[in-house]
């Protein structure tokens, strides 16, 4: 049986799966990420993982995605803060060990690919996938393909949406510094004087009528609306797929984003706002799609 | 001799030319634009103009560009404030009268096409052309082609750059409302209490040390920097070609834009900022390129 290996490599965890050529999951593993600035430790770990997952099937290719700035054509991670990488030619490193064709990509971009091909963005030609998690990034679909500018496109988390807080990147006003899951948790904790475990408890408090939590969520919504308005004005997408845990809260978050975005537009086309369908599997499925594309078996 | 007709149609003036297949200008005319909400008056005017310009040459195709929201594939102007058009299928209207293949496009997009192919943006794969005139709009080059989202992409003049003035579109904070040539003239006139004829005199006053003019220009530069930072963060262009009369002032305007943009970036790649080469001819040359492309004679 022909299969591909699909791996979504995060700073702490690898989500790996063996997929059939219809993206069906045949086996999966979740393991801690092997660290190392030159990428060889990870290449060896991934090689062992793919052999173990492959079992008796005929693994034809592997797709690996990571966070950061990834040049998919060159198969080089230019920069990844989470992996502590600079200019790591991971595609080559892995292919040399694995002896299989390797596709190497960016996690959010791959998540967008999966949402556009088999998720909430199916059928779109001009669209965006905005992933709100620890950080915020986007995959941009134009004329039916994801456009990456060698990994430099899509950093919507770092556009200035007009607030005064400083972002981890060093700039003031970044979307990520007010609307990411970590920003929501941090902003609530600072004002309430007590720690919370991520954005979920803040969303629940807001839903239950906690004024402080509601204010923090409302500011996050305003930031997202500012960012989406900019995206819409510059790129004219027909749809925006919203991913990440924040939107698991569904209409409680999406409805105010939709209302305020519509109110902020003048001549622009209001995009169809859709909640992502593939959840945390999107990156791994996208990695599988990259591997299948490499084999010319485009779904 | 094979030729194409190239027409840049503005709200008040048509700039028309007869071009050889190497974009050489064989004849040119500038005439007032025939008005009419259904586009037939303009189609008849353009037909007569093309026949007159064509003379004894063999005109093989025509390229026409207009301002507004233009769906180049459908050859329909969805909206053009300057021409008072809504959903005018101008490509079809003109082709029926002219009996020649007609390419129909957007003026700034065509200007970008010309700058990317034969002007300041030659050799770029991911780039932008930002035209600062009465309004501000951009042509976006990604993966070697201009991406238009059916005419909806590129409205950089209407992204919110964080000031309090209201734009003609109805929104507050638009780039166009602080950095367009008309905004510079208006902002200076309001504060100085006397009218000026466009942005040029304000630039000259600023260069001569007039504090009020310098403040107005500096605010325009800040707006442009904010807009360019957003463009760079979202699309990662290798170069940005700056067009329009504002940049005819050269380094007096470009140097502060470059300095402040570089200072505003954290992890992003600083794009190469280049002043457009083709000046007010860019739109007409782009119209000619669209016509030649239609004939498969891509330069």
């Amino acid at each position: 049986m022909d299969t591909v290996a699909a791996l979504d490599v995060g700073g702490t965890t690898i989500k790996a799966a063996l997929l059939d050529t219809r993206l069906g999951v045949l086996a999966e593993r979740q393991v801690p990420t092997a660290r190392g600035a030159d990428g060889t430790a990870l290449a060896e770990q991934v090689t062992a993982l793919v052999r173990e997952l492959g079992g008796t099937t005929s693994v034809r290719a592997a797709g690996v995605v990571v966070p950061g700035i990834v040049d998919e054509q060159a198969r080089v991670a230019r920069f990844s803060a989470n992996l502590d990488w600079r200019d790591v030619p991971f595609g080559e490193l892995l292919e040399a060990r694995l002896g299989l064709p390797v596709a190497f990509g960016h996690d959010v971009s791959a998540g967008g690919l999966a949402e556009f091909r088999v998720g909430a963005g199916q059928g779109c030609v001009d669209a965006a996938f905005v992933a709100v998690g620890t950080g915020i990034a986007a995959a941009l679909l134009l004329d039916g393909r994801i456009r990456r500018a060698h990994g430099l496109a899509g950093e919507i988390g770092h556009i200035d949406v007009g607030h005064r807080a400083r972002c981890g990147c060093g700039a003031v006003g970044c979307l990520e510094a007010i609307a990411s899951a970590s920003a929501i948790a941090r902003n609530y904790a600072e004002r309430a004087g007590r720690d919370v475990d991520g954005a979920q408890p803040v969303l629940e408090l807001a839903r239950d009528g906690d004024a402080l939590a509601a204010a923090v969520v409302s500011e996050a919504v305003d930031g997202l609306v500012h960012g989406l308005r900019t995206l819409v004005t510059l790129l004219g997408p027909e749809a925006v797929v919203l991913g990440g845990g924040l939107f698991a809260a569904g209409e409680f978050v999406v409805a105010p984003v939709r209302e305020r975005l519509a109110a902020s537009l003048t001549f622009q086309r209001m995009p169809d706002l859709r909640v992502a369908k593939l959840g945390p599997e999107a990156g791994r499925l996208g990695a599988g799609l990259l591997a299948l594309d490499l084999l010319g078996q485009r779904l």
Side-chain angles (χ1 to χ4, degrees), chain A:
Chain A
M1 180 186 204
D2 283 352
T3 60
V4 295
L7 298 99
D8 183 356
V9 176
T12 54
T13 306
I14 300 178
K15 289 189 278 185
L18 185 72
L19 306 176
D20 65 28
T21 54
R22 307 287 303 164
L23 289 184
V25 177
L26 302 172
E28 48 189 336
R29 293 283 185 290
Q30 193 153 326
V31 298
T33 306
R35 309 290 303 213
D38 66 357
T40 56
L42 185 69
E44 271 153 34
Q45 182 188 30
V46 168
T47 301
L49 200 52
V50 171
R51 296 212 170 118
E52 183 200 333
L53 275 170
T56 58
T57 71
S58 170
V59 183
R60 300 278 307 278
V64 179
V65 300
V66 302
I69 294 171
V70 179
D71 186 333
E72 296 189 347
Q73 284 166 277
R75 298 194 305 175
V76 173
R78 298 292 171 203
F79 175 68
S80 178
N82 296 356
L83 296 171
D84 193 22
W85 280 3
R86 269 187 193 278
D87 293 317
V88 172
F90 193 74
E92 218 172 278
L93 286 178
L94 181 59
E95 200 163 280
R97 282 160 179 80
L98 200 55
L100 288 174
V102 170
F104 183 51
H106 179 250
D107 56 356
V108 171
S109 199
L113 183 69
E115 290 289 350
F116 297 138
R117 291 247 196 107
V118 298
Q122 277 185 74
C124 289
V125 171
D126 297 300
F129 168 64
V130 177
V132 180
T134 312
I136 301 182
L140 309 175
L141 188 80
L142 287 124
D143 288 352
R145 288 180 68 93
I146 292 180
R147 306 295 165 183
R148 301 190 26 79
H150 298 274
L152 296 164
E155 294 289 350
I156 193 173
H158 299 281
I159 67 175
D160 181 352
V161 298
H163 61 80
R164 299 306 309 158
R166 192 165 290 276
C167 178
C169 82
V172 166
C174 293
L175 173 57
E176 195 165 294
I178 199 163
S180 66
S182 37
I184 291 172
R186 188 183 56 243
N187 288 342
Y188 179 80
E190 276 174 12
R191 294 193 215 169
R194 63 182 183 86
D195 276 352
V196 283
D197 185 21
Q200 286 312 320
V202 184
L203 285 167
E204 279 157 32
L205 283 163
R207 202 196 284 266
D208 293 346
D210 179 292
L212 196 54
V216 168
V217 172
S218 183
E219 285 166 23
V221 166
D222 282 342
L224 284 167
V225 167
H226 193 304
L228 291 174
R229 181 182 181 279
T230 297
L231 182 75
V232 164
T233 304
L234 212 45
L235 296 175
E238 60 202 291
V240 178
V241 177
L242 301 168
L246 187 60
F247 299 105
E251 285 298 306
F252 178 67
V253 175
V254 178
V257 170
R258 188 182 289 115
E259 271 161 40
R260 296 184 211 173
L261 178 60
S264 80
L265 301 180
T266 52
F267 65 93
Q268 302 95 329
R269 167 173 70 176
M270 175 70 189
D272 190 12
L273 296 187
R274 306 178 187 173
V275 175
K277 274 191 184 160
L278 306 172
E281 297 309 305
R284 197 173 68 179
L285 283 174
L289 286 166
L290 291 176
L292 288 168
D293 280 359
L294 208 59
L295 298 175
Q297 297 183 323
R298 183 167 171 156
L299 271 183

